Amino acid sequence: MLSQNHATGAILRTFPGAVFGAVLLCTAFGSGQALAEPAAETIARGKALTEAADCASCHTADPSKPLAGGKRIDTPFGGIYSPNLTPDRDTGLGAWSDEDFHRALREGVAPDGSRYYPAFPYPNFTKLTRDDIAAIRAYLATLTPFRNEAPPPQ
């Protein structure tokens, strides 16, 4: 059995290490610069690109929920339904990283690794620059989030 002095000494010897570890963890998460909000110009460029690409024509089934997806698109492979582009965390892009969005547009790969083929990658979207894709994502993040899970392909 340890004496009280021996136990207290052991606690005091490990205390600085524990404090250092806690401080290190806190600063690892808190010392980085906060992510800056996109500039108004970036969001405006993203909106212009989204409109030029006519994203709403495929990603809007219900006009009261713009870009919330769910629109059926008939293909030679059967019917597919457009995904939700709003920032809803559960059914839209809200939980996606910038890299997830980039891979979806450029490579046609979903965050879970599945493919969006035959809809993506759309040939013209593979020509978008990384800055263009980031601007589109910044604009989409400003939309009203709508919960709208698209049906599976038919």
Side-chain angles (χ1 to χ4, degrees):
M1 175 170 251
L2 295 174
S3 71
Q4 186 171 359
N5 285 343
H6 182 72
T8 303
I11 290 170
L12 289 176
R13 282 191 300 278
T14 59
F15 182 73
V19 169
F20 176 75
V23 169
L24 184 63
L25 282 174
C26 290
T27 58
F29 294 109
S31 69
Q33 292 180 343
L35 294 177
E37 291 294 318
E41 297 82 22
T42 299
I43 293 169
R45 191 167 104 247
K47 181 178 182 184
L49 289 165
T50 301
E51 290 172 351
D54 200 15
C55 299
S57 69
C58 290
H59 292 274
T60 302
D62 178 351
S64 70
K65 298 177 182 177
L67 297 170
K71 183 174 182 178
R72 181 183 168 92
I73 301 165
D74 291 315
T75 74
F77 304 101
I80 58 173
Y81 292 86
S82 61
N84 184 349
L85 299 184
T86 74
D88 179 72
R89 291 195 59 79
D90 296 324
T91 65
L93 303 177
W96 287 32
S97 70
D98 290 344
E99 189 57 32
D100 289 339
F101 190 70
H102 184 267
R103 284 184 65 209
L105 277 179
R106 292 295 294 274
E107 300 169 27
V109 178
D112 67 4
S114 63
R115 299 280 176 172
Y116 288 121
Y117 186 82
F120 273 77
Y122 190 71
N124 291 338
F125 295 166
T126 64
K127 311 256 188 279
L128 290 168
T129 68
R130 189 168 282 274
D131 286 345
D132 288 341
I133 293 170
I136 292 168
R137 175 150 167 75
Y139 166 67
L140 294 174
T142 69
L143 299 176
T144 300
F146 292 108
R147 180 168 180 74
N148 189 29
E149 192 161 350
Q154 297 178 341

